[in-house]
Coordinates of all heavy atoms in Angstrom, one line a residue:
M291 N -117.4 -45.3 -112.7 CA -116.7 -45.5 -113.9 C -115.4 -46.2 -113.6 O -114.7 -45.8 -112.6 CB -116.4 -44.2 -114.6 CG -115.8 -44.3 -116.0 SD -115.6 -42.8 -116.9 CE -117.3 -42.1 -117.0
T292 N -115.0 -47.2 -114.3 CA -113.8 -48.0 -114.0 C -112.6 -47.2 -114.5 O -112.7 -46.3 -115.3 CB -113.8 -49.3 -114.8 OG1 -113.7 -49.1 -116.2 CG2 -115.0 -50.2 -114.4
A293 N -111.4 -47.5 -113.9 CA -110.2 -46.8 -114.2 C -109.9 -47.0 -115.7 O -109.5 -46.0 -116.4 CB -109.1 -47.3 -113.4
D294 N -110.1 -48.2 -116.3 CA -109.8 -48.4 -117.7 C -110.7 -47.5 -118.6 O -110.2 -47.0 -119.6 CB -110.0 -49.9 -118.0 CG -108.9 -50.8 -117.5 OD1 -107.8 -50.3 -117.3 OD2 -109.1 -52.0 -117.5
K295 N -111.9 -47.4 -118.2 CA -112.8 -46.6 -119.0 C -112.4 -45.1 -119.0 O -112.4 -44.4 -120.0 CB -114.3 -46.7 -118.5 CG -115.3 -46.1 -119.5 CD -116.7 -46.5 -119.1 CE -117.6 -46.1 -120.2 NZ -118.9 -46.6 -120.0
V296 N -112.0 -44.6 -117.8 CA -111.5 -43.3 -117.6 C -110.3 -43.0 -118.5 O -110.2 -42.0 -119.2 CB -111.2 -42.9 -116.2 CG1 -110.5 -41.6 -116.0 CG2 -112.5 -42.9 -115.3
L297 N -109.3 -44.0 -118.5 CA -108.1 -43.8 -119.2 C -108.3 -43.8 -120.7 O -107.5 -43.3 -121.5 CB -107.1 -44.9 -118.8 CG -106.6 -44.9 -117.4 CD1 -105.7 -46.1 -117.1 CD2 -105.8 -43.6 -117.2
H298 N -109.4 -44.5 -121.2 CA -109.7 -44.5 -122.6 C -110.5 -43.2 -123.0 O -110.6 -42.9 -124.2 CB -110.5 -45.7 -123.0 CG -109.6 -46.9 -123.1 ND1 -109.3 -47.7 -122.0 CD2 -109.0 -47.4 -124.2 CE1 -108.5 -48.7 -122.4 NE2 -108.3 -48.5 -123.7
Q299 N -111.0 -42.5 -122.1 CA -111.8 -41.3 -122.4 C -111.1 -40.0 -122.3 O -111.5 -39.0 -122.8 CB -113.1 -41.2 -121.5 CG -114.0 -42.4 -121.8 CD -115.3 -42.3 -120.9 OE1 -115.3 -41.6 -119.9 NE2 -116.3 -43.0 -121.3
V300 N -109.9 -40.0 -121.6 CA -109.2 -38.7 -121.4 C -108.4 -38.4 -122.7 O -108.2 -39.2 -123.6 CB -108.2 -38.8 -120.2 CG1 -109.0 -39.0 -118.9 CG2 -107.2 -39.9 -120.4
E301 N -108.0 -37.1 -122.8 CA -107.2 -36.7 -123.9 C -105.7 -36.9 -123.6 O -105.1 -36.2 -122.7 CB -107.4 -35.2 -124.1 CG -106.7 -34.6 -125.3 CD -107.0 -33.2 -125.5 OE1 -108.0 -32.7 -125.1 OE2 -106.1 -32.5 -126.2
W302 N -105.1 -37.8 -124.3 CA -103.6 -38.1 -124.1 C -102.8 -37.1 -125.0 O -103.2 -36.7 -126.1 CB -103.4 -39.5 -124.6 CG -103.9 -40.5 -123.6 CD1 -105.1 -41.1 -123.7 CD2 -103.3 -41.0 -122.4 NE1 -105.3 -41.9 -122.6 CE2 -104.2 -41.9 -121.8 CE3 -102.0 -40.7 -121.8 CZ2 -103.8 -42.5 -120.6 CZ3 -101.7 -41.3 -120.6 CH2 -102.6 -42.2 -120.0
R303 N -101.7 -36.6 -124.4 CA -100.8 -35.7 -125.1 C -99.4 -36.4 -125.2 O -98.9 -37.0 -124.3 CB -100.6 -34.4 -124.4 CG -101.9 -33.6 -124.3 CD -101.7 -32.3 -123.7 NE -101.4 -32.4 -122.3 CZ -101.0 -31.4 -121.6 NH1 -100.9 -30.2 -122.1 NH2 -100.8 -31.5 -120.3
K304 N -98.8 -36.2 -126.4 CA -97.5 -36.8 -126.7 C -96.6 -35.6 -127.1 O -97.0 -34.7 -127.8 CB -97.6 -37.8 -127.8 CG -96.3 -38.5 -128.1 CD -96.3 -39.7 -129.0 CE -97.3 -39.7 -130.1 NZ -97.2 -40.8 -131.0
S305 N -95.4 -35.7 -126.7 CA -94.4 -34.6 -127.0 C -94.2 -34.5 -128.5 O -94.2 -35.5 -129.2 CB -93.1 -35.0 -126.3 OG -92.1 -34.1 -126.8
S306 N -94.0 -33.2 -128.9 CA -93.7 -33.0 -130.3 C -92.3 -33.5 -130.7 O -92.0 -33.6 -131.9 CB -93.8 -31.5 -130.6 OG -92.9 -30.8 -129.8
F307 N -91.5 -33.8 -129.7 CA -90.2 -34.3 -129.9 C -90.2 -35.8 -130.2 O -89.2 -36.4 -130.5 CB -89.3 -34.1 -128.7 CG -89.0 -32.6 -128.5 CD1 -89.7 -31.8 -127.7 CD2 -87.9 -32.0 -129.2 CE1 -89.4 -30.5 -127.5 CE2 -87.6 -30.7 -129.0 CZ -88.4 -29.9 -128.2
S308 N -91.4 -36.5 -130.1 CA -91.5 -37.9 -130.3 C -91.1 -38.4 -131.6 O -90.4 -39.4 -131.8 CB -92.9 -38.4 -130.0 OG -93.0 -39.7 -130.1
G309 N -91.5 -37.7 -132.7 CA -91.2 -38.1 -134.0 C -91.8 -39.4 -134.4 O -92.7 -39.9 -133.7
T310 N -91.4 -39.9 -135.6 CA -92.0 -41.2 -136.0 C -90.9 -42.0 -136.7 O -90.0 -41.5 -137.3 CB -93.1 -41.0 -137.0 OG1 -92.6 -40.2 -138.1 CG2 -94.3 -40.3 -136.4
G311 N -90.9 -43.3 -136.4 CA -90.0 -44.3 -137.1 C -88.5 -44.0 -136.9 O -88.1 -43.0 -136.4
G312 N -87.8 -45.0 -137.3 CA -86.3 -44.8 -137.4 C -85.5 -44.7 -136.2 O -85.6 -43.7 -135.5
N313 N -84.8 -45.7 -135.8 CA -83.8 -45.7 -134.7 C -84.3 -45.1 -133.4 O -83.7 -44.2 -132.8 CB -82.6 -44.9 -135.2 CG -81.3 -45.3 -134.4 OD1 -81.3 -46.3 -133.7 ND2 -80.3 -44.5 -134.5
G314 N -85.5 -45.5 -133.0 CA -86.0 -45.1 -131.7 C -86.6 -43.7 -131.6 O -87.1 -43.3 -130.6
S315 N -86.7 -43.0 -132.7 CA -87.2 -41.6 -132.7 C -88.7 -41.6 -132.5 O -89.3 -40.5 -132.2 CB -86.9 -40.9 -134.0 OG -87.5 -41.5 -135.1
G316 N -89.4 -42.7 -132.6 CA -90.8 -42.8 -132.3 C -91.2 -43.2 -130.9 O -92.3 -43.3 -130.6
N317 N -90.2 -43.3 -130.1 CA -90.4 -43.7 -128.7 C -90.7 -42.5 -127.9 O -90.0 -41.5 -127.9 CB -89.2 -44.4 -128.1 CG -88.8 -45.7 -128.8 OD1 -89.7 -46.4 -129.3 ND2 -87.6 -46.0 -128.9
C318 N -91.8 -42.6 -127.1 CA -92.1 -41.4 -126.3 C -93.2 -41.9 -125.3 O -93.7 -43.0 -125.3 CB -92.7 -40.3 -127.2 SG -92.7 -38.7 -126.3
V319 N -93.4 -41.0 -124.3 CA -94.5 -41.2 -123.4 C -95.6 -40.2 -123.7 O -95.4 -39.2 -124.3 CB -94.0 -41.0 -121.9 CG1 -92.9 -42.0 -121.5 CG2 -93.5 -39.6 -121.7
E320 N -96.8 -40.6 -123.2 CA -98.0 -39.8 -123.3 C -98.4 -39.4 -121.9 O -98.2 -40.2 -121.0 CB -99.1 -40.5 -124.0 CG -98.9 -40.8 -125.4 CD -100.0 -41.5 -126.1 OE1 -100.4 -42.6 -125.6 OE2 -100.5 -41.0 -127.1
T321 N -99.0 -38.3 -121.7 CA -99.6 -37.9 -120.4 C -101.0 -37.4 -120.6 O -101.4 -37.0 -121.7 CB -98.8 -36.7 -119.8 OG1 -98.9 -35.6 -120.7 CG2 -97.3 -37.0 -119.6
A322 N -101.8 -37.6 -119.5 CA -103.2 -37.1 -119.5 C -103.6 -36.7 -118.2 O -103.2 -37.3 -117.2 CB -104.1 -38.3 -120.0
A323 N -104.3 -35.6 -118.1 CA -104.9 -35.1 -116.8 C -106.2 -35.9 -116.6 O -107.0 -35.9 -117.5 CB -105.1 -33.6 -116.9
L324 N -106.3 -36.5 -115.4 CA -107.5 -37.2 -115.1 C -108.5 -36.4 -114.4 O -108.1 -35.4 -113.8 CB -107.1 -38.5 -114.2 CG -106.1 -39.4 -114.9 CD1 -105.9 -40.6 -113.9 CD2 -106.6 -39.9 -116.2
P325 N -109.8 -36.7 -114.4 CA -110.8 -35.9 -113.8 C -110.6 -35.7 -112.3 O -111.0 -34.7 -111.7 CB -112.1 -36.7 -114.0 CG -111.8 -37.5 -115.2 CD -110.4 -37.9 -115.2
D326 N -109.9 -36.7 -111.6 CA -109.7 -36.6 -110.2 C -108.5 -35.7 -109.8 O -108.1 -35.6 -108.7 CB -109.6 -37.9 -109.5 CG -108.4 -38.8 -110.0 OD1 -107.6 -38.3 -110.7 OD2 -108.3 -39.9 -109.5
G327 N -107.8 -35.2 -110.8 CA -106.6 -34.3 -110.6 C -105.3 -35.0 -110.8 O -104.3 -34.3 -110.9
R328 N -105.3 -36.3 -110.8 CA -104.0 -37.0 -111.0 C -103.6 -36.9 -112.5 O -104.3 -36.5 -113.4 CB -104.1 -38.5 -110.6 CG -104.4 -38.7 -109.2 CD -104.5 -40.1 -108.8 NE -105.7 -40.7 -109.4 CZ -105.9 -42.0 -109.5 NH1 -105.1 -42.9 -108.9 NH2 -107.0 -42.4 -110.1
I329 N -102.3 -37.2 -112.7 CA -101.7 -37.2 -114.0 C -101.3 -38.7 -114.4 O -100.7 -39.4 -113.6 CB -100.4 -36.4 -114.1 CG1 -100.7 -34.9 -113.6 CG2 -99.8 -36.4 -115.5 CD1 -101.7 -34.2 -114.5
A330 N -101.8 -39.1 -115.6 CA -101.5 -40.5 -116.0 C -100.3 -40.4 -117.0 O -100.3 -39.5 -117.8 CB -102.7 -41.1 -116.7
V331 N -99.4 -41.4 -117.0 CA -98.3 -41.4 -117.9 C -98.2 -42.9 -118.4 O -98.3 -43.8 -117.7 CB -97.0 -41.1 -117.1 CG1 -95.8 -41.2 -118.1 CG2 -97.0 -39.7 -116.5
R332 N -98.0 -43.0 -119.7 CA -97.9 -44.3 -120.4 C -97.0 -44.3 -121.5 O -96.7 -43.2 -122.1 CB -99.3 -44.8 -120.8 CG -99.9 -44.0 -122.0 CD -101.3 -44.5 -122.3 NE -101.8 -43.9 -123.5 CZ -103.0 -44.0 -124.0 NH1 -103.8 -44.9 -123.5 NH2 -103.3 -43.4 -125.1
N333 N -96.6 -45.4 -122.0 CA -95.7 -45.6 -123.2 C -96.6 -45.4 -124.4 O -97.6 -46.2 -124.6 CB -95.0 -47.0 -123.2 CG -94.1 -47.2 -124.3 OD1 -94.3 -46.7 -125.4 ND2 -93.1 -47.9 -124.1
S334 N -96.3 -44.5 -125.3 CA -97.2 -44.2 -126.4 C -97.1 -45.4 -127.5 O -98.0 -45.5 -128.2 CB -96.8 -42.9 -127.1 OG -95.5 -43.0 -127.6
N335 N -96.0 -46.1 -127.5 CA -95.9 -47.3 -128.4 C -96.7 -48.5 -128.0 O -97.2 -49.3 -128.8 CB -94.5 -47.7 -128.6 CG -93.7 -46.6 -129.3 OD1 -94.2 -45.9 -130.2 ND2 -92.4 -46.4 -129.0
T336 N -96.9 -48.6 -126.7 CA -97.7 -49.8 -126.2 C -98.6 -49.3 -125.1 O -98.5 -49.6 -123.9 CB -96.8 -50.9 -125.6 OG1 -95.9 -50.3 -124.6 CG2 -95.9 -51.5 -126.7
P337 N -99.6 -48.5 -125.4 CA -100.5 -47.8 -124.4 C -101.3 -48.8 -123.6 O -101.7 -48.4 -122.5 CB -101.4 -46.9 -125.3 CG -101.4 -47.5 -126.6 CD -100.0 -48.1 -126.8
D338 N -101.5 -50.0 -124.0 CA -102.3 -50.9 -123.2 C -101.5 -51.7 -122.2 O -102.1 -52.6 -121.6 CB -103.2 -51.8 -124.1 CG -104.2 -51.0 -124.9 OD1 -104.7 -50.0 -124.3 OD2 -104.5 -51.3 -126.1
T339 N -100.2 -51.5 -122.1 CA -99.4 -52.3 -121.3 C -99.3 -51.8 -119.9 O -98.7 -52.4 -119.0 CB -98.0 -52.6 -121.8 OG1 -97.4 -51.3 -122.0 CG2 -98.0 -53.3 -123.2
G340 N -99.8 -50.6 -119.6 CA -99.8 -50.1 -118.2 C -99.7 -48.6 -118.2 O -99.2 -48.0 -119.1
T341 N -100.2 -48.1 -117.1 CA -100.2 -46.6 -116.9 C -99.7 -46.3 -115.5 O -100.1 -47.0 -114.5 CB -101.6 -46.1 -117.1 OG1 -102.1 -46.4 -118.4 CG2 -101.7 -44.6 -116.9
V342 N -98.9 -45.3 -115.3 CA -98.5 -44.9 -114.0 C -99.3 -43.6 -113.6 O -99.4 -42.7 -114.5 CB -97.0 -44.6 -114.0 CG1 -96.5 -44.2 -112.6 CG2 -96.2 -45.9 -114.4
L343 N -99.8 -43.5 -112.4 CA -100.5 -42.4 -112.0 C -99.8 -41.6 -110.9 O -99.2 -42.1 -110.0 CB -101.9 -42.8 -111.4 CG -102.8 -43.7 -112.3 CD1 -104.0 -44.1 -111.6 CD2 -103.1 -42.9 -113.6
F344 N -99.7 -40.3 -111.1 CA -99.0 -39.4 -110.2 C -100.0 -38.3 -109.7 O -100.9 -37.9 -110.4 CB -97.9 -38.6 -110.9 CG -96.8 -39.5 -111.4 CD1 -96.8 -40.0 -112.7 CD2 -95.7 -39.8 -110.6 CE1 -95.8 -40.8 -113.2 CE2 -94.7 -40.6 -111.0 CZ -94.7 -41.1 -112.3
T345 N -99.8 -37.8 -108.5 CA -100.5 -36.7 -108.0 C -99.9 -35.4 -108.6 O -98.8 -35.5 -109.2 CB -100.4 -36.5 -106.4 OG1 -99.0 -36.3 -106.1 CG2 -100.9 -37.8 -105.7
R346 N -100.6 -34.3 -108.5 CA -100.0 -33.1 -109.1 C -98.7 -32.7 -108.4 O -97.8 -32.2 -109.1 CB -101.0 -31.9 -108.9 CG -102.3 -32.1 -109.7 CD -102.1 -31.6 -111.1 NE -103.3 -31.9 -111.9 CZ -103.5 -31.3 -113.1 NH1 -102.6 -30.5 -113.6 NH2 -104.6 -31.6 -113.8
T347 N -98.6 -32.9 -107.1 CA -97.4 -32.6 -106.4 C -96.2 -33.5 -106.9 O -95.1 -33.0 -107.1 CB -97.6 -32.9 -104.9 OG1 -98.7 -32.0 -104.4 CG2 -96.4 -32.6 -104.1
E348 N -96.5 -34.8 -107.1 CA -95.5 -35.7 -107.6 C -95.0 -35.3 -109.0 O -93.8 -35.3 -109.2 CB -96.0 -37.1 -107.6 CG -96.2 -37.7 -106.2 CD -97.0 -39.0 -106.2 OE1 -97.8 -39.2 -107.2 OE2 -96.9 -39.7 -105.2
I349 N -95.9 -35.0 -109.9 CA -95.5 -34.7 -111.2 C -94.8 -33.4 -111.3 O -93.9 -33.2 -112.1 CB -96.7 -34.8 -112.2 CG1 -96.3 -35.0 -113.7 CG2 -97.6 -33.5 -112.2 CD1 -95.9 -36.4 -114.0
S350 N -95.2 -32.5 -110.4 CA -94.5 -31.2 -110.4 C -93.1 -31.3 -109.9 O -92.2 -30.7 -110.5 CB -95.3 -30.2 -109.4 OG -94.6 -29.0 -109.3
A351 N -92.8 -32.2 -108.9 CA -91.4 -32.4 -108.5 C -90.6 -33.1 -109.6 O -89.5 -32.7 -109.8 CB -91.5 -33.3 -107.2
W352 N -91.2 -34.0 -110.3 CA -90.5 -34.7 -111.4 C -90.2 -33.7 -112.5 O -89.0 -33.7 -113.0 CB -91.4 -35.8 -111.9 CG -90.8 -36.7 -113.0 CD1 -89.6 -37.3 -112.9 CD2 -91.4 -37.0 -114.2 NE1 -89.5 -38.0 -114.1 CE2 -90.5 -37.9 -114.9 CE3 -92.6 -36.6 -114.8 CZ2 -90.8 -38.3 -116.2 CZ3 -92.9 -37.2 -116.1 CH2 -92.0 -38.0 -116.8
I353 N -91.1 -32.9 -112.9 CA -90.9 -31.9 -114.0 C -89.8 -30.9 -113.6 O -88.9 -30.6 -114.4 CB -92.2 -31.2 -114.4 CG1 -93.0 -32.3 -115.2 CG2 -91.9 -30.0 -115.3 CD1 -94.5 -31.8 -115.4
K354 N -89.8 -30.5 -112.3 CA -88.8 -29.6 -111.8 C -87.4 -30.2 -111.9 O -86.4 -29.6 -112.3 CB -89.1 -29.1 -110.4 CG -90.2 -28.1 -110.3 CD -90.5 -27.8 -108.9 CE -91.7 -26.8 -108.8 NZ -92.1 -26.6 -107.4
G355 N -87.3 -31.5 -111.6 CA -86.1 -32.3 -111.6 C -85.6 -32.4 -113.1 O -84.4 -32.3 -113.3
I356 N -86.5 -32.6 -114.0 CA -86.1 -32.7 -115.4 C -85.6 -31.4 -115.9 O -84.5 -31.3 -116.5 CB -87.3 -33.1 -116.3 CG1 -87.7 -34.6 -116.0 CG2 -87.1 -32.9 -117.7 CD1 -89.0 -35.0 -116.6
K357 N -86.3 -30.3 -115.6 CA -85.8 -28.9 -116.0 C -84.5 -28.6 -115.4 O -83.7 -27.8 -116.0 CB -86.9 -27.9 -115.6 CG -88.1 -28.0 -116.5 CD -89.1 -26.9 -116.1 CE -90.3 -27.0 -117.0 NZ -91.3 -25.9 -116.7
A358 N -84.2 -29.1 -114.2 CA -82.9 -28.8 -113.5 C -81.8 -29.7 -114.0 O -80.7 -29.5 -113.6 CB -83.1 -29.0 -112.0
G359 N -82.1 -30.6 -114.9 CA -81.1 -31.5 -115.4 C -80.8 -32.7 -114.6 O -79.8 -33.4 -114.8
E360 N -81.6 -33.0 -113.6 CA -81.3 -34.1 -112.6 C -81.3 -35.5 -113.3 O -80.8 -36.4 -112.7 CB -82.3 -34.0 -111.5 CG -82.1 -32.8 -110.6 CD -83.1 -32.7 -109.5 OE1 -83.9 -33.7 -109.3 OE2 -83.1 -31.7 -108.8
F361 N -81.9 -35.6 -114.5 CA -82.1 -36.9 -115.1 C -81.3 -36.9 -116.5 O -81.5 -37.9 -117.2 CB -83.5 -37.2 -115.3 CG -84.3 -37.2 -114.1 CD1 -85.1 -36.1 -113.7 CD2 -84.2 -38.2 -113.1 CE1 -85.9 -36.1 -112.5 CE2 -84.9 -38.2 -112.0 CZ -85.7 -37.1 -111.6
D362 N -80.5 -35.9 -116.7 CA -79.8 -35.9 -118.0 C -78.9 -37.1 -118.2 O -78.6 -37.5 -119.4 CB -78.9 -34.6 -118.1 CG -79.7 -33.3 -118.3 OD1 -81.0 -33.5 -118.4 OD2 -79.2 -32.3 -118.2
D363 N -78.4 -37.7 -117.2 CA -77.5 -38.9 -117.3 C -78.3 -40.1 -117.9 O -77.7 -41.1 -118.3 CB -76.9 -39.3 -116.0 CG -77.9 -39.7 -114.9 OD1 -78.9 -39.0 -114.8 OD2 -77.6 -40.7 -114.3
L364 N -79.6 -40.0 -117.9 CA -80.4 -41.2 -118.4 C -80.6 -41.1 -119.9 O -81.2 -42.0 -120.5 CB -81.8 -41.2 -117.7 CG -81.7 -41.3 -116.2 CD1 -83.1 -41.2 -115.6 CD2 -81.1 -42.7 -115.8
T365 N -80.2 -40.0 -120.6 CA -80.4 -39.9 -122.0 C -79.2 -40.4 -122.8 O -78.1 -40.5 -122.3 CB -80.7 -38.5 -122.4 OG1 -79.6 -37.7 -122.1 CG2 -82.0 -38.0 -121.8

């Protein structure tokens, strides 16, 4: 099965904080767990423009950093 086909068959999840319309409130990322264990991340507004793939270890480190406030300066 091709990567594109896999990415179209998985269940994508978007944050409930994404909202809709108006001043950027509809901007968000989507994530999906892939059958091989990796995590896919893409822009929910333009899902066909590219997807970044992470291992479980990589995504875990990223989420821990977010929870620790390491990326707060980017908001």
Side-chain angles (χ1 to χ4, degrees):
M291 187 176 301
T292 67
D294 284 340
K295 191 168 188 173
V296 169
L297 293 174
H298 282 87
Q299 292 180 347
V300 294
E301 181 179 338
W302 288 93
R303 294 188 292 172
K304 184 167 39 173
S305 170
S306 61
F307 291 93
S308 178
T310 56
N313 202 16
S315 65
N317 297 327
C318 198
V319 296
E320 293 177 305
T321 62
L324 303 182
D326 66 4
R328 293 180 296 170
I329 304 299
V331 180
R332 69 182 184 184
N333 182 327
S334 63
N335 292 326
T336 55
D338 293 326
T339 60
T341 302
V342 180
L343 303 178
F344 294 94
T345 66
R346 293 277 177 165
T347 301
E348 292 166 338
I349 203 77
S350 177
W352 183 53
I353 291 171
K354 285 177 185 176
I356 290 169
K357 288 180 177 182
E360 294 176 7
F361 303 102
D362 288 356
D363 64 312
L364 299 176
T365 62

